[in-house]
Amino acid sequence: MLVKVLFQQIASVCMAMLVLLSTVSWTVDKHLCMGRVMDISLFTEADDCDMEKAMVAMGNETMDNHCCDDESFTISGQDDLKLTLTDLELEQQVFLFAFTHTFLNPTASLEEHCVPHQGYPPPLITRDIHLLDQVFLI
């Protein structure tokens, strides 16, 4: 029973994380300096390598910074998660209901049957009745 509860909790956390990760839009921003990755940032803009400040300090304010480059890419998440039970067909609704019912209550329909002769030993066979009466199945 403990394993079942633990499995259900792990499965529910995994499903919640799957929904969260599939609905959030991800943006990764990289700052490259001389072809090398200097900074990577998730959701925000990457920090630069301060090459512009060094050029200002050297007195080259008018010269463009050709060695630095910024790259970013975005993975958009889902926006249409408004699926309701009425969007499913009748056969799908019946299957979903039956599957969840049997998954959550696998032994609900099994009843413990009372066996009245369970504590008594079987009778001892002293003679083989089939041989005595010579009755054989052909």
Side-chain angles (χ1 to χ4, degrees), residues 7-78:
F7 176 72
Q8 286 177 344
Q9 290 176 351
I10 290 172
S12 64
V13 167
C14 289
M15 290 297 287
M17 292 300 294
L18 179 69
V19 169
L20 178 70
L21 293 176
S22 68
T23 56
V24 173
S25 295
W26 298 85
T27 301
V28 178
D29 195 31
K30 294 190 295 187
H31 180 76
L32 302 167
C33 186
M34 295 181 170
R36 292 186 349 211
V37 177
M38 299 304 284
D39 189 29
I40 296 176
S41 178
L42 192 65
F43 298 119
T44 60
E45 194 171 310
D47 295 333
D48 58 353
C49 62
D50 295 332
M51 186 64 75
E52 294 174 4
K53 292 180 184 176
M55 292 182 91
V56 169
M58 289 173 48
N60 296 334
E61 297 173 7
T62 60
M63 192 172 165
D64 289 334
N65 189 3
H66 295 291
C67 67
C68 291
D69 190 22
D70 290 323
E71 293 180 6
S72 67
F73 61 92
T74 302
I75 300 171
S76 61
Q78 293 179 347

